[in-house]
Amino acid sequence: MAGEARELGLDYLGIADHSKSSFQANGLNEERLGEQIELIAKLNSQLDDFHVFTGSEVDILKDGRLDFSDDVLAKLDYVVASVHNAMNQDEDEMTKRVIRAMENEYVTMLGHPTGRLLLQREPSKISLDKIIDCAARTGTWIELNCSTWRMDLDWRWWHRARDKGVKCAINPDAHRVSQFATLRHGVTMARKGWLRREDVVNTLSLNAIKRELAR
């Protein structure tokens, strides 16, 4: 994955495998995540023109708790918090659940906020107005997941998010190297949603994104 990203002209790549509750995706437990952190550190020591960030796509549990403890999350460069189960909660429950997760100081961004799968699964019932307001308050980035199955957050919401000062991360959700191609679709959707270069965090240089993640 890092090799392909370099070939595409990218300066950095974030790795965020699923956490342990996503057993259907062979999610990593604490031990396996620790091994991955060590492996990425070793890889970075061998690279002088590219950087791999250690992350995790951590499940937001039914009550809004996260799938890993804060002690584990503190070891990562970034954390994506996402809902992958109990997606039929009512709007109030789902909104409070996601907001609780976003209020965790180690959460960097909210992944695919509505959980929709185009032509397959309807979006969860959730108040995106409240989610965007929470992101503005907590400094949480919101993902534009540009998998052709997701395109989530939908372009119609990005103008509001932008005006609130919420930052977007355009992520390919790539499970194999060929899926990096979806980045092009993500850029198109971001433009359709009136986003500018400065609204998208992964347009930043490597040094700038390191500073943002540290902050």
Side-chain angles (χ1 to χ4, degrees):
M1 296 293 277
E4 179 69 11
R6 291 175 79 190
E7 287 293 316
L8 290 171
L10 302 180
D11 294 328
Y12 50 86
L13 172 69
I15 297 294
D17 282 319
H18 285 283
S19 60
K20 57 190 176 183
S21 288
S22 285
F23 57 88
Q24 76 283 358
N26 194 27
L28 304 185
N29 59 22
E30 288 84 351
E31 181 180 358
R32 292 169 62 212
L33 179 61
E35 292 171 355
Q36 186 180 81
I37 292 171
E38 292 178 5
L39 179 64
I40 290 174
K42 182 178 180 181
L43 176 61
N44 281 328
S45 71
Q46 300 167 359
L47 298 173
D48 56 6
D49 62 345
F50 190 81
H51 189 82
V52 180
F53 290 103
T54 60
S56 177
E57 185 174 8
V58 180
D59 269 30
I60 301 175
L61 304 180
K62 190 174 181 179
D63 62 358
R65 290 179 300 114
L66 296 172
D67 203 18
F68 287 135
S69 70
D70 285 357
D71 288 343
V72 173
L73 300 181
K75 299 175 183 177
L76 299 166
D77 293 321
Y78 73 105
V79 173
V80 184
S82 305
V83 172
H84 294 107
N85 57 65
M87 303 182 74
N88 60 348
Q89 289 179 314
D90 65 37
E91 182 176 307
D92 185 59
E93 287 179 312
M94 182 64 77
T95 303
K96 288 179 179 177
R97 170 187 183 182
V98 172
I99 286 175
R100 179 181 178 185
M102 293 169 69
E103 289 175 341
N104 183 295
E105 63 179 320
Y106 293 106
V107 170
T108 313
M109 75 181 83
L110 175 64
H112 47 72
T114 74
R116 73 179 185 181
L117 293 176
L118 296 171
L119 305 179
Q120 184 174 333
R121 184 172 68 207
E122 291 296 313
S124 297
K125 296 176 181 177
I126 189 168
S127 172
L128 290 174
D129 285 318
K130 292 180 179 179
I131 295 302
I132 289 170
D133 287 345
C134 178
R137 174 171 54 85
T138 59
T140 308
W141 305 343
I142 295 181
E143 178 184 59
L144 196 170
N145 184 308
C146 53
S147 163
T148 51
W149 288 104
R150 291 192 182 274
M151 293 297 174
D152 189 11
L153 183 65
D154 186 89
W155 68 272
R156 295 169 183 86
W157 286 95
W158 281 112
H159 198 294
R160 173 181 169 80
R162 184 198 80 175
D163 288 351
K164 290 277 187 174
V166 176
K167 298 298 184 182
C168 168
I170 300 176
N171 298 333
D173 199 0
H175 293 77
R176 55 186 63 88
V177 294
S178 62
Q179 292 173 344
F180 280 124
T182 63
L183 280 169
R184 181 175 181 179
H185 303 310
V187 171
T188 299
M189 289 298 100
R191 288 172 172 165
K192 189 173 182 178
W194 291 80
L195 294 185
R196 304 154 299 190
R197 181 188 181 105
E198 60 265 31
D199 302 314
V200 179
V201 291
N202 46 334
T203 63
L204 293 172
S205 68
L206 176 56
N207 286 335
I209 197 75
K210 283 181 176 179
R211 289 194 296 270
E212 280 297 299
L213 290 173
R215 184 178 62 80

